[in-house]
Amino acid sequence: MATLDVKEIIKQAAQQEDKAYRFYMDALKFVKDAAAQLWLKELAGEEIKHRDLLQNFDTSKVKKFKPEKIQDLHISEYLVDKDISEVKDFQDVLIVAMKKEQKSYNFYVGMAKSTDNPEMKNLCKILAQEELKHKHKLELYYDDNVYQWD
C-alpha cells in the first residue's frame, strides 16, 4: 500500500467526519424522544470538532497524546447493518450509527498503518479512539434502552 501524504489523509478523514455529522443530523427526523435528540446533536457536534481538529492539524497537540483504554462491548458486531434508506426508527438509527463508528474506527486504524509520519500516525490513533468512544456510547445506550434479555 502506498504511503498517503498527510494532506490526503486529512482530506479523507475530514470528509469522513463531515459525513458522520450529516448522518446524525439526518437521523434526528427518526427520533421523537427529546433526550435522544439532544444526544444525537451532541454526537453530531463531536464529529464537527473532529473535522475542525483535522483541518487545523496541530502537530504539537498530537505529540502529547496518550491513548486511554476504551471498552468495546462488541454489540454492533452481532447486528445486521442497514442502509440509511431502510432506517425507520431510533433503533435503526442506533444500529447504523454503531456500524458507522466501527467503520470509522477501522478507517483510522488503517490510516495510522498507512503513514510514516509519526504525528499523523498519532492523529489517526486519536481519531480511532474517538470513534471507539462514540461506538461505546451508542452500544451502552442500545444495551440499556433497546436490547432486552428475554
Side-chain angles (χ1 to χ4, degrees):
M1 186 169 169
T3 301
L4 292 165
D5 78 326
V6 173
K7 277 194 203 77
E8 189 50 41
I9 289 179
I10 288 175
K11 197 177 113 196
Q12 280 187 32
Q15 285 170 345
Q16 190 94 350
E17 296 299 329
D18 214 48
K19 267 190 216 144
Y21 164 76
R22 286 199 305 272
F23 167 75
Y24 286 121
M25 292 311 284
D26 288 346
L28 285 169
K29 62 178 172 273
F30 297 105
V31 184
K32 309 279 177 278
D33 178 57
Q37 282 185 337
L38 193 70
W39 192 65
L40 284 173
K41 284 177 189 161
E42 202 179 287
L43 284 168
E46 284 178 23
E47 302 297 356
I48 288 297
K49 273 191 222 138
H50 295 167
R51 189 195 65 197
D52 295 346
L53 179 78
L54 284 155
Q55 288 169 341
N56 310 307
F57 181 54
D58 179 354
T59 54
S60 66
K61 285 195 182 105
V62 174
K63 282 189 178 115
K64 297 185 204 102
F65 172 66
K66 297 277 177 284
E68 53 185 290
K69 191 82 189 103
I70 294 149
Q71 191 188 8
D72 189 347
L73 301 179
H74 296 288
I75 290 172
S76 66
E77 282 87 322
Y78 299 101
L79 299 168
V80 178
D81 201 1
K82 292 174 182 287
D83 188 71
I84 192 69
S85 63
E86 299 173 300
V87 171
K88 296 192 182 32
D89 57 22
F90 190 44
Q91 182 176 351
D92 292 348
V93 167
L94 285 170
I95 292 169
V96 173
M98 285 186 278
K99 292 288 188 183
K100 276 185 174 308
E101 297 295 345
Q102 180 67 51
K103 285 175 197 152
S104 293
Y105 169 77
N106 295 343
F107 168 81
Y108 287 123
V109 168
M111 286 287 195
K113 288 180 182 142
S114 76
T115 181
D116 298 329
N117 177 316
E119 281 93 15
M120 199 62 225
K121 215 179 257 307
N122 242 0
L123 178 66
C124 288
K125 286 179 186 167
I126 290 169
L127 290 163
Q129 182 175 298
E130 286 291 311
E131 302 304 335
L132 204 56
K133 268 188 212 164
H134 284 181
K135 181 173 170 263
H136 181 67
K137 209 186 238 184
L138 288 158
E139 286 184 331
L140 280 175
Y141 191 91
Y142 187 87
D143 195 46
D144 292 345
N145 297 284
V146 179
Y147 185 74
Q148 301 296 330
W149 295 99
D150 294 328

